[in-house]
Amino acid sequence: MSDPNAQMNAQLQVAQIESAQMAGAPSGVFPGGMPHVMVPGQPVTTAQMAAAAAATKHPQDMTLAQIAAAQNASDPGKKPAKAKKTYQTKAMKAAAAANEANPASHTTSAVPAAAPITQSIPQQQAQQAKQQQQQQQAQKNRPPANLPLRQQNPRDIIDALKTNLDMIRREFAENLSAAAQRGEEFAPPSFQIRSQHDAAVAIELWLTSHGGNFNAEELAKKVAMLRDVQTKCRLGRLDPTCTENKIEALSCWVELTKTYYICARESRNLKSRGVPGIESPTFRLPDTTKQIPPPRPPEDFTSVAEMDIAMGQVVGAQRWVEAVERQMTR
């Protein structure tokens, strides 16, 4: 902001200079300049000459800066006024102080140093492309979630069968331990089912005879699956020696082994809770993955009497009679 008294001060300075000139200034006084006694042999500086010339031309137009310059020129011994501190000066001093406090961060350039590049751009692009290719390949090889059993890879279906058979073995051991705690005897069933049809019938009979202990909706799903297996067996659609039916036969056998494991597990749990009338399955399934049982044994149903004897051994005579009566009353 300009000084409101600048013009008045300038006029006073000019009046003083003119009064000095009228009074007869001694030698060594420059026209328009401040009175000054010249020392013999002292050279006249360029600043003194410029100040005197500016004052001579238009003394009334002189500014405070010009008057101050003329005074400084007339008095070389006087120290020049200090320049005012500006924002840039303060910022430069602050930056210098920070660099002195942390020499490690001091750099010759105002731009921060970039991190060293360890790989070239083509190498980085090639590495990213390789990673994307590996991720895509892994997603292709990963089986979809909840993929139906019959749509899975045959190797995965066989692995599922192995898992079911391992769980059945462990369940026999759990039944033996639980029976010992109750003071009872338990032995894994010795009678082994020889066909998928017999397995489906025997499992259905065990489930329906204990149906009051299970969820009705889930029980209906299991019974429908077991009857569907029985129908396929009678129609000859589960022959494991036939290439067209091999996957279907393997998938049905996996479902049967899983359902049998559920029967063995739930019989132990119900007995542990003290539920009356619970019996463990009296039959077992072939414990191997090398050969799937045929849909029906070669001598299957040669006579009704033989069938009654076989089913009496599987599920018990009384249950078999009750099952036959239910079928006849439908």
Side-chain angles (χ1 to χ4, degrees):
M1 181 180 296
S2 60
D3 189 359
N5 300 323
Q7 185 176 2
M8 183 179 294
N9 293 335
Q11 293 177 357
L12 291 174
Q13 292 287 343
V14 172
Q16 291 177 359
I17 294 172
E18 291 178 351
S19 62
Q21 290 177 351
M22 292 175 63
S27 61
V29 178
F30 290 92
M34 296 295 295
H36 179 68
V37 179
M38 299 294 294
V39 179
Q42 180 181 11
V44 179
T45 63
T46 306
Q48 292 173 339
M49 295 175 64
T56 306
K57 289 182 179 180
H58 302 285
Q60 66 277 9
D61 296 335
M62 290 179 65
T63 63
L64 290 176
Q66 292 175 342
I67 295 172
Q71 293 177 352
N72 292 335
S74 62
D75 190 2
K78 186 177 180 181
K79 293 182 179 181
K82 293 183 179 179
K84 294 184 179 180
K85 294 183 179 180
T86 61
Y87 174 78
Q88 294 180 350
T89 305
K90 294 180 180 179
M92 293 175 63
K93 289 185 177 180
N99 291 334
E100 291 178 358
N102 188 9
S105 62
H106 178 68
T107 56
T108 56
S109 174
V111 180
I117 300 176
T118 57
Q119 293 182 346
S120 61
I121 295 179
Q123 289 178 349
Q124 293 178 355
Q125 293 177 350
Q127 186 176 1
Q128 292 176 357
K130 185 177 180 180
Q131 292 178 354
Q132 292 178 356
Q133 185 177 4
Q134 292 176 352
Q135 293 176 357
Q136 293 176 357
Q137 188 66 26
Q139 292 178 355
K140 290 181 180 179
N141 296 334
R142 185 182 306 166
N146 300 327
L147 186 68
L149 183 63
R150 289 159 180 79
Q151 297 180 11
Q152 296 182 14
N153 189 291
R155 188 179 300 276
D156 296 334
I157 301 177
I158 295 175
D159 291 340
L161 177 59
K162 291 179 180 179
T163 301
N164 293 343
L165 296 177
D166 289 340
M167 291 191 300
I168 292 172
R169 296 189 199 100
R170 289 196 296 269
E171 192 55 42
F172 285 156
E174 292 289 342
N175 274 273
L176 181 61
S177 176
Q181 293 178 359
R182 295 191 304 267
E184 302 175 358
E185 293 184 359
F186 174 82
S190 58
F191 181 79
Q192 180 172 294
I193 295 293
R194 295 179 297 171
S195 67
Q196 297 187 53
H197 184 275
D198 291 350
V201 172
I203 294 172
E204 180 188 353
L205 289 174
W206 190 93
L207 286 174
T208 53
S209 62
H210 296 83
N213 301 293
F214 303 115
N215 180 272
E217 184 178 355
E218 294 298 327
L219 179 62
K221 291 180 181 179
K222 290 295 182 184
V223 171
M225 182 270 294
L226 293 169
R227 290 178 180 175
D228 183 60
V229 172
Q230 297 171 29
T231 301
K232 291 178 180 178
C233 288
R234 287 194 297 267
L235 297 176
R237 297 177 181 175
L238 298 183
D239 186 2
T241 60
C242 180
T243 305
E244 297 178 357
N245 301 330
K246 192 170 184 178
I247 296 298
E248 182 64 23
L250 179 60
S251 300
C252 287
W253 188 239
V254 169
E255 292 174 342
L256 290 174
T257 54
K258 184 177 181 179
T259 309
Y260 178 83
Y261 160 73
I262 294 174
C263 295
R265 182 193 65 193
E266 292 305 316
S267 66
R268 174 176 59 85
N269 292 336
L270 293 172
K271 287 181 179 180
S272 300
R273 294 199 298 266
V275 179
I278 303 300
E279 295 183 6
S280 300
T282 57
F283 60 95
R284 65 186 303 168
L285 305 182
D287 189 9
T288 180
T289 59
K290 295 181 179 180
Q291 185 177 0
I292 301 173
R296 302 171 70 173
E299 68 280 5
D300 193 11
F301 304 127
T302 56
S303 67
V304 176
E306 291 181 358
M307 183 182 68
D308 290 339
I309 294 173
M311 296 308 298
Q313 293 177 350
V314 173
V315 298
Q318 184 63 31
R319 288 184 180 176
W320 174 243
V321 172
E322 294 175 354
V324 172
E325 290 178 350
R326 285 196 300 269
Q327 292 290 334
M328 292 176 65
T329 56
R330 287 183 179 180

